[in-house]
Each structure stands twice: as C-alpha cells, then as structure tokens.
Amino acid sequence: MFAAADPANADGRRKLDRALRQALDASAPSDQHKVIVRAKAGYTTWVRQELAARGEQITSEHPSIDGMTVQFAGAALERFCASQAVLSCSSDAEISPTAAPVARKGTTPAVNSLLGNLGIGIDPTGGAGITVALIDSGLDPSKAFHGQIKTFYDFTDGATRLVRKPSDDYGHGTHVAGLIGGMQLTADRDFQGVAPAVDFVVIKVLDAEGKGKTSDVIRAIEFVVANKKALGVDIINLSLGHPIFEPADTDPLVQAVERASRQGVVVVTSAGNYGTNPETGEIGYAGTTSPGNAPSAITAGAYDHNATVARDDDRVTDYSSRGPTWYDGRSKPDIVAPGHYLASEASVRSGLFASYPTLHRRGKSGKSFLTLSGTSMAAGVTTGVVALMQQAARENGHVLTPHLVKALLQYTAIPLKDDNGQAYDVLTQGTGGINAAGALKLARELDLRVTGTGIKWSALAPCSVQLSACTSTFAGRTFNWAQNIVWGENIVWGESVHYNLPAWALNIVWGESVNASGQVVWGDALRTGDNIVWGDNIVWGDNIVWGDNIVWGDNIVWGESLDDNIVWGNTDDGGPDNAGGKNIVWGEDENIVWGNALRIAKSGGGR
C-alpha cells in the first residue's frame, strides 16, 4: 500500500475539482462528501485497498476510467487525494436535463416543419437496424414507440434494476425520444420523429424531479459500452449535464464519453442552456456544460427554425451555450440543430406534462403532445440524424466511426446568420446548422474500403470542381455547405472528408494530430505564427483576441455557480486593472491573464 500523504501537501487540494474545493471551504471537517476518485494508470488496486484499510465506503466502481465513487469525510478527503496513486478527485455532481419550458412569442405555429427544415421527409423505415441508448429520465411506452424499446434499466440512486414495464415519471426522456424516433399516426405527422424505425435501450438516470448524479450517468455509459454488442447500441444520447468544474482530461464524465467514442459508439451531447445572463438577458460565452466539453462527443447547440422549412430565418437561440469550453478553451458546440419550441411525444402522467399545461399541443388525432425548448431537444434531433446516417452507411456495408460522423455533420452544415445578416461565430454555431440531407448525401457516397494516401473514398466531385455537389436546397433556395471541420484549434477547409484519413480512427481523441507518420498536416490550418485565426473574429495562440462580434467584458469570475463562470460582459471600460478586458490566457491552475494583468487563483480558491 502507498504511504499516507502529508496533510499539508497542496497536491491534495490541487487534485480536487472546483466544486469539491468550494464544498470543503463551506463545510465542517466531519461532513460527508460523495467523490469520484480516479487512480493513476496501474494503481487502481492500490487505491481500492487503501480505501478499504481506511474504512471508506466505495458505492460504485467505474473501471473504464480507473475510478470509483466514495463517501468521504471532509477531513480525510484532501489528505487521501494527495496520494501519489490518485489522479484526481471529482464531485459526484448533480446532473440536470438541458431542456426548458419556454413559451414562444407571437402566434403559435400550426406545424413543426422539423423534417422539412432538415431536408428530409417522413420515412417509416428511417433508422431501421440502428439502436440508440437513451440515458435520461426514462421512456413512456406509448404507441409511438411500439416494439422499439429493447430493454429498460433504472440506474438512479446507485442501483442497477432491470425494469419490465418502462415508464417516465419526469417526462424529459420521452420528449427527447419522440424527436429521435417517435412514430406518429398519419394524422399527427407534424410531430413525427427524425428516425421513426430506430430502436431504444433506455437507462433511467434522472428521477421524478429531473435530477441525477454524475456517477449514475458514468455507470450507464459503461454499461452500454460493455454490452454494446449484446444490446446492438450504435449511438448514445446525453441530453443532460452539469457545470464544468475541471479540465476535460480529469473530468470523469468526459472521460467516460471519450472511452465510449474510442469503442466506436457515437455520443451526442447537449451544449447546455447557459447562453444568456438570467438577470440581464445578455449573450454570454464559455457556458458549455459537461459532458458537452468532451472533445470526441458531437455537441449540439440549439437554433430556432421558426417552424419553417426555409433556412433563411433560422437563428441560434439566445440560451444555447457558447464556447469556448472552460479550462481547456476548446471550440464548442460542433453544430447547432433545431431545439426551440419543439412539440414531441409526451408522458402524460409525468411531472413536466402536469406542470406546464400551457405548453400542451393537440394533434389532429386528438392526442396530446408537449412543447419544450433547449439543447436537449437539439441533441435529440441530432441523434436522429446520426441514426439515419449510420443506416445509410450500413446499407452500403459500412459503419461510420464517431469522428467521421462528426466530420460529415460539420462539413455539410449550413452556416447561419443573425438578424443583421452577419454569420454567427464558430463558438456560437460550430460550423453551422445541421443539414440531414447533405450529411446523408455524403454518407451514401463514401466507400470505406478505399484506403491509401491521396485516393478519394467519396464518389462526389471535389467542391472546388463541382460546387453543386456540395449544396443543399431548402424551400427553393440553394445553400452551400460549410465545407470545413473544426479540428482541435484548427478550422480545416478543403476536401478532408473526401479521403480516408487516420483522423477518423477510433484510437485518438478528436483534435489530436495524427496520420500515418504520426501527425496530421491539414494544409489549410489557418495558422499565423503561433496563432490560429478563427474566421475574422478570433486569433488563438498565446492570447485570445476577440473581434467585433464577441465582447468579453470585465467580469470573468470563478464563483459558486455556473452563472458566475460565464463571460457575460458587454462593458468596454478597460476591464480589471485597466487591462483592456479582451485578452485572456487559459493557464494552469486557473490563471487568467487580462491584457498585461495576471490574476492567479490561490489554492484556497476564491477571488
């Protein structure tokens, strides 16, 4: 066993995430804390033995991330986490769904027009042969999901229960599932799901109030990956999250998502609903939630399609969380999808349905539906599109890797513009609004058997040669695809998705630079010296310089709530210490540089 660490060792405090540090500062030494402990590689057994020797209770194991959930007294926590065998100690944070009961201003539209806005029609066979793991509040087994629910497990409160009769006492999971693949009656076709023939493996992690724990979500992800073949799971939908409390490399939930991606499971996550200051309504950046900050996840922000097929009136919603991701400074979301005021399947005995009668919608059949908004809904729509893409590839004898799915979605996205006709920046919309028609078109044209440097695996002509090959038409208007992907800190233009590149492999994290020689040389990396230029707005290097479209004010604050960590400011008064308030450096241990002024977070936290 390893030796106990010196209680005065600051390393123990450094390994705690921000939520745990704040909890310790606000509690008595004897207070209990539920903690996800991750061991360094090769030290899991040592950590387990030491916990047993100390009499600490392990409530659940997380083998995929070398972790375990433990009840700790505050006095022992910091000392134990200082051990050389411990990689990190994270709060078993509360998980919440990323949907909200938002009323639409003006006249309520008669129809959703969702499928038309995606560029597809109603296909009763859409998603056939594809299985989605819905990790959420459950799923009400209505006629819309007849024969589609393979199995149902309840993972709430640390349990693992196989449930014979599915249910959804909160209602969120049913709504998301309806968008993914609810099969409605002909009279209710306006509420049709994207992939109505998809199958579901349902794992309940949110209770009747829509609350859950990070450890239960991790267990659910691990269960799905471990039983991927037996359950036939292709995609995981995570329309939930918690504030980011630590870098992605140590975040247990993020690492569980990364492991699932490396195992070939496409993970779709919501970006979060923290895009506006709740007090002022001001647009903010850096509000992405975990696990939306997972590099390899497909993170969906939300846009309002205004209940039309046309794309000209699509607008990113104010509440949709923007990037960059806290701590790591990565670009998120990856794409945006319809997520505002979407009517979908309702669990009529659920808490959500009972609480918001004004958001009920009635179909022509007389059936009741529920209207919700949020990046939860956008993630559900995205998952449905991914199911169609995997179905199309499978019909050609192929399976798309998670990285390739993301690349196709980003490459074929339709860049969105605001009310002034200005393109949204990449931290707001990723590469643009999801384009199911374009993504399916490209997915069908790939021959994954083709390998070799410089040999195209796409039957489509290069966009530079035949522009019409890289366009999609909506409501009589033709739109160019984005024709780029966001890889790490590079915006990659050109024909990257037309070739079988090592970047699409399973054994790397999205954004890592690898090819046959060990490095990806993208060519159009938009690199200027040590800086990387994001469009016209952002220079990314030793400093982050925000242009006219993004204003960082004077109030980056690390506080006790997520709202305190998001950059809201519209003030241009010079920032703290007259440093300008526009340049920051994401450093180690929460260092923030404002222009020439350096503010360093002390180990005790707080500012």
Side-chain angles (χ1 to χ4, degrees), residues 160-186:
T160 304
R161 295 179 288 267
L162 175 62
V163 179
R164 300 297 181 186
K165 186 176 180 181
S167 63
D168 186 1
D169 49 7
Y170 182 59
H172 183 267
T174 299
H175 192 279
V176 172
L179 295 172
I180 295 171
M183 172 71 86
Q184 304 298 342
L185 298 172
T186 302

Side-chain angles (χ1 to χ4, degrees), residues 281-477:
E282 189 173 20
I283 298 294
Y285 285 79
T288 306
T289 54
S290 173
N293 60 326
S296 299
I298 298 172
T299 303
Y303 72 81
D304 182 359
H305 76 297
N306 278 297
T308 67
V309 173
R311 301 299 293 252
D312 302 85
D313 60 353
D314 295 346
R315 299 289 184 268
V316 178
T317 66
D318 290 348
Y319 55 74
S320 183
S321 287
R322 276 78 169 160
T325 62
W326 205 247
Y327 289 95
D328 303 298
R330 289 192 177 99
S331 178
K332 288 286 184 174
D334 298 303
I335 46 92
V336 288
H340 189 69
Y341 206 76
L342 296 184
S344 181
E345 192 70 14
S347 177
V348 296
R349 290 175 294 276
S350 68
L352 274 177
F353 191 81
S355 297
Y356 300 101
T358 60
L359 297 179
H360 295 179
R361 294 275 297 279
R362 191 168 295 278
K364 293 180 181 179
S365 70
K367 179 179 178 178
S368 292
F369 296 87
L370 182 64
T371 303
L372 293 175
S373 299
T375 56
S376 277
M377 288 58 255
V381 170
T382 301
T383 293
V385 173
V386 174
L388 297 180
M389 294 169 64
Q390 288 290 28
Q391 178 193 18
R394 189 164 292 175
E395 289 173 352
N396 288 334
H398 308 311
V399 176
L400 306 177
T401 65
H403 287 354
L404 186 53
V405 171
K406 184 194 289 194
L408 298 184
L409 287 174
Q410 288 196 326
Y411 192 84
T412 60
I414 306 298
L416 303 186
K417 297 179 180 180
D418 62 20
D419 289 341
N420 296 317
Q422 298 297 312
Y424 292 105
D425 57 79
V426 71
L427 296 177
T428 296
Q429 68 170 334
T431 62
I434 194 169
N435 173 14
L440 285 169
K441 178 180 178 180
L442 190 50
R444 292 188 179 110
E445 297 295 332
L446 296 183
D447 185 350
L448 275 62
R449 297 168 298 181
V450 175
T451 59
T453 304
I455 303 176
K456 287 175 75 268
W457 65 356
S458 168
L460 292 178
C463 301
S464 57
V465 175
Q466 185 182 353
L467 180 61
S468 61
C470 301
T471 63
S472 296
T473 301
F474 302 85
R477 286 204 57 192

